[in-house]
Amino acid sequence: MGVWGAIIMSFFGAVFAAMTLYWQRHVTGLALAFPFIVFAAIGLSAAYVIRMPGIGILPSTRTERAIMWSSIAEGVGLFVSSNIVINLHRPDLLMPAMALVVGLHFLPIAFVAAFRPFYVLGTVLILAAIFGFIAPTPMGGGVAGIIAALGLWIAATMAVRRDWHAKRAGA
């Protein structure tokens, strides 16, 4: 995974954090912009790496296909899971449900790309979701959402660093 994936992961990390702050902690106003400042910082570093000379990290055609199909399934899964928890009148389970779907989305990509860090990221998100489902109501969703955001931001930062090293080695 290269910097384009890092930009996507850091954006969704910001979405997880902002939604967790809003839904679980009832934060409003400018405080909800803070997660997007983190996204902007990761995005700026990714933009720097994109503009560096060199090829960087390119996924194989098979991996690109796995990313595409897994992302489509993730979108459908997020839609279905969010509708289920909302229709069950359990908005406290929204963050764990989303973390579960996003975590599951990384496993086929990890398998096809033979990329161990995606197994780790997927597992962390799935464990956060499980904790979110079994923990007491206000705490479970908050912990699942924050762990998901942090996991995505850490993975995005590592991806930018990895692509930066690849471009420097090839230059």
Side-chain angles (χ1 to χ4, degrees):
M1 184 208 38
V3 289
W4 289 106
I7 292 170
I8 294 167
M9 286 193 306
S10 65
F11 174 75
F12 282 107
V15 170
F16 260 108
M19 287 180 66
T20 301
L21 290 172
Y22 182 77
W23 285 101
Q24 304 298 320
R25 301 290 175 229
H26 309 293
V27 174
T28 59
L30 284 176
L32 293 176
F34 175 73
F36 293 96
I37 293 170
V38 176
F39 160 65
I42 295 171
L44 287 172
S45 63
Y48 174 78
V49 172
I50 288 170
R51 294 169 193 250
M52 288 176 65
I55 296 172
I57 297 169
L58 296 174
S60 68
T61 304
R62 186 169 179 245
T63 301
E64 284 179 349
R65 215 173 349 198
I67 291 169
M68 178 188 69
W69 285 110
S70 185
S71 297
I72 291 169
E74 176 189 28
V76 172
L78 288 171
F79 176 78
V80 170
S81 65
S82 63
N83 276 291
I84 289 171
V85 298
I86 297 301
N87 286 319
L88 290 174
H89 305 289
R90 294 294 307 270
D92 57 302
L93 298 179
L94 183 59
M95 292 296 105
M98 289 174 61
L100 178 64
V101 171
V102 174
L104 289 171
H105 142 272
F106 282 107
L107 299 181
I109 299 170
F111 177 75
V112 171
F115 189 59
R116 235 182 284 169
F118 274 3
Y119 282 120
V120 173
L121 178 59
T123 302
V124 166
L125 292 173
I126 291 167
L127 291 175
I130 291 169
F131 178 80
F133 285 129
I134 62 175
T137 297
M139 182 176 68
V143 169
I146 295 301
I147 289 175
L150 291 174
L152 289 167
W153 283 336
I154 291 168
T157 303
M158 292 171 64
V160 170
R161 184 176 181 270
R162 181 174 172 247
D163 210 3
W164 180 70
H165 282 293
K167 284 192 172 187
R168 286 198 46 159

